[in-house]
Amino acid sequence: MVIDVKPRLAALRDSLAAKNLDGLLVASTDNRRYLSGFTARDELLTETCGWLLITRREAFLITDFRYQEWARQEAPHCEVKVYKDSLGAALAELLRAGGLRRLGFESAYLSVRNYQRLTEIAADARLEMEWLPQEGLVEELREVKSSEEVTAIRKALRLTEKVFTEVAAWLAPGLSERRAAWEIERRLREEGSEGVAFPPIVAAGPNSARPHHHPGEAVIRPGEPIIIDMGARLEGYCADMTRTLILGEPTPRFREIYTLVRQAQIRAEEGIKAGLNSVDADALAREVIVRAGHGEAFGHSLGHGVGLAVHEAPSLSPHKDRASTLKAGSIATVEPGVYLPGWGGVRLEDMVLIHPDGAEVLTELGFYEW
Ligand code: ZN
Ligand code: ZN
């Protein structure tokens, strides 16, 4: 994928102007990639492959010896600054040279320790400046996808569906959840996925009542629900898909719960469109499940945005403090679920592309039909 970061930087600079900020310090791995093209990923909270400083006119990628070649190759629109002693000291120099007074930073990603170090270094250097916490400045830009981003996500979904189909045919009673999860991961990687979008979830029997179960030694048995939640990653972009299956003859209870969850999903997929409030989007599916008497068993949000991160804006949540208006061009999951402790659960997760007049279901894999 050819990524042009220039319009992204221009859009961010509009936001900086609107907030009267002289610059933004970017510590998030995904935001760094989005704005610079630099694909390195931070694996630990306490280590970084580099930070971006985006000012009204300039863009710097501050990194160390290990990443300098890589950064220069992938981030031609950033001036790569290689620090020797400390990232903080290198940043302070840039802040002084640029005369920056009002600096935004990503409060969700800059650790308390790093914040303390940076502000101390800036104070020691007698920089007269304000540190202004920001949330969602870049995430808001990432919410609406370009056609190249949509294409990458579609490809990641096709690969996800292919591997799911293969593994579903291979699954057999007696296999452990962990073995099945490894089979998913192995096939994803062998068929071209850049690792996994997230560690696959395989939850068998009563474990399927735990929405984010970690696969363990529990064994797959006929007649019990099995939740599989998985996603490939291609060109940096994630897929996210869940299907619930059962080996052998579906039990009457499985059919009942599965049909209910599918009806809730269809209701949401038919009703979601740009301009709708995200709380109302969640309610489309939730009302179906509440009416059937299982409201308490649907304890998570209806969905979330997907892109470079497997969970990003928008949030299709019942909580008003996370409410937003759905935007055309954003991609979100629609994943209602019903979880009954002791028995298990059913979750069905599609991805949709939101248009002005409706939602296009990107997931092509089908469902049980009785
Ligand atoms: Zn998922
Ligand atoms: Zn999801």
Side-chain angles (χ1 to χ4, degrees):
M1 185 191 336
V2 181
I3 289 195
D4 185 4
V5 300
K6 280 179 285 180
R8 299 175 178 180
L9 289 169
L12 178 66
R13 288 185 174 120
D14 288 345
S15 305
L16 295 181
K19 296 197 156 240
N20 193 22
L21 293 171
D22 297 329
L24 180 72
L25 180 64
V26 176
S28 139
T29 254
D30 293 318
N31 291 344
R32 180 181 63 213
R33 177 173 182 153
Y34 185 78
L35 294 169
S36 72
F38 182 38
T39 60
R41 292 185 66 79
D42 303 339
E43 300 297 347
L44 294 171
L45 198 61
T46 47
E47 290 182 15
T48 179
C49 307
W51 287 352
L52 290 180
L53 174 66
I54 310 294
T55 72
R56 299 283 193 100
R57 287 207 184 84
E58 294 173 295
F60 300 98
L61 172 50
I62 314 164
T63 187
D64 64 68
F65 176 81
R66 299 169 298 171
Y67 300 101
Q68 57 179 343
E69 279 301 307
W70 188 358
R72 287 203 172 101
Q73 187 194 353
E74 286 189 333
H77 296 288
C78 292
E79 192 177 323
V80 175
K81 294 278 182 191
V82 179
Y83 68 87
K84 285 211 173 69
D85 299 330
S86 94
L87 201 162
L91 176 67
E93 247 173 66
L94 291 173
L95 295 174
R96 180 191 300 286
L100 272 72
R101 300 220 156 218
R102 289 174 52 83
L103 180 67
F105 65 93
E106 298 179 307
S107 55
Y109 294 98
L110 191 67
S111 70
V112 173
R113 186 187 73 174
N114 283 335
Y115 175 76
Q116 287 170 336
R117 283 184 181 170
L118 291 179
T119 50
E120 277 168 22
I121 288 171
D124 288 348
R126 299 186 189 282
L127 297 179
E128 282 180 30
M129 53 173 294
E130 288 176 83
W131 295 82
L132 299 159
Q134 305 296 318
E135 266 188 80
L137 275 189
V138 187
E139 288 81 349
E140 202 173 293
L141 305 179
R142 280 169 45 197
E143 187 172 339
V144 174
K145 269 66 183 176
S146 68
S147 62
E148 290 84 4
E149 290 176 298
V150 173
T151 301
I153 289 171
R154 281 186 202 270
K155 278 191 214 160
L157 249 183
R158 292 296 84 77
L159 177 54
T160 304
E161 291 165 334
K162 180 170 185 287
V163 169
F164 175 92
T165 305
E166 290 168 8
V167 170
W170 163 91
L171 269 187
L175 289 167
S176 72
E177 296 168 335
R178 194 174 285 160
R179 177 70 187 86
W182 171 244
E183 191 65 18
I184 291 167
E185 189 162 342
R186 184 179 74 78
R187 288 183 189 241
L188 281 173
R189 285 174 183 265
E190 285 184 1
E191 297 189 29
S193 180
E194 301 153 6
V196 287
F198 56 93
I201 295 172
V202 178
N207 286 342
S208 59
R210 306 173 175 190
H212 271 192
H213 177 64
H214 289 187
E217 289 309 313
V219 161
I220 288 165
R221 296 178 214 284
E224 293 186 340
I226 307 159
I227 289 182
I228 295 182
D229 190 350
M230 57 183 282
R233 183 192 287 272
L234 284 177
E235 297 176 272
Y237 286 82
C238 298
D240 189 6
M241 181 187 82
T242 307
R243 290 293 183 266
T244 305
L245 40 98
I246 193 162
L247 299 184
E249 193 56 30
T251 61
R253 192 172 211 194
F254 182 81
R255 285 181 184 235
E256 177 205 330
I257 301 296
Y258 189 98
T259 303
L260 172 64
V261 172
R262 178 65 182 137
Q263 282 169 346
Q265 188 185 40
I266 290 171
R267 179 74 194 86
E269 289 175 352
E270 286 177 350
I272 286 175
K273 58 181 178 179
L276 187 69
N277 187 285
S278 58
V279 172
D280 297 330
D282 173 274
L284 290 168
R286 198 165 300 278
E287 278 164 9
V288 174
I289 293 173
V290 167
R291 266 203 306 275
H294 287 300
E296 291 295 310
F298 177 22
H300 57 71
S301 302
L302 176 65
H304 53 85
V306 182
L308 287 172
V310 71
H311 287 174
E312 58 179 57
S315 168
L316 275 56
S317 158
H319 302 293
K320 291 198 175 69
D321 58 347
R322 282 186 240 157
S324 67
T325 302
L326 297 181
K327 297 178 177 130
S330 65
I331 288 182
T333 66
V334 177
E335 49 178 309
V338 168
Y339 309 91
L340 304 173
W343 176 73
V346 171
R347 175 166 72 259
L348 301 171
E349 176 179 31
D350 281 345
M351 292 175 77
V352 299
L353 172 58
I354 299 173
H355 293 292
D357 54 352
E360 174 188 354
V361 181
L362 299 178
T363 313
E364 292 178 355
L365 195 76
F367 299 87
Y368 284 120
E369 283 174 41
W370 293 294

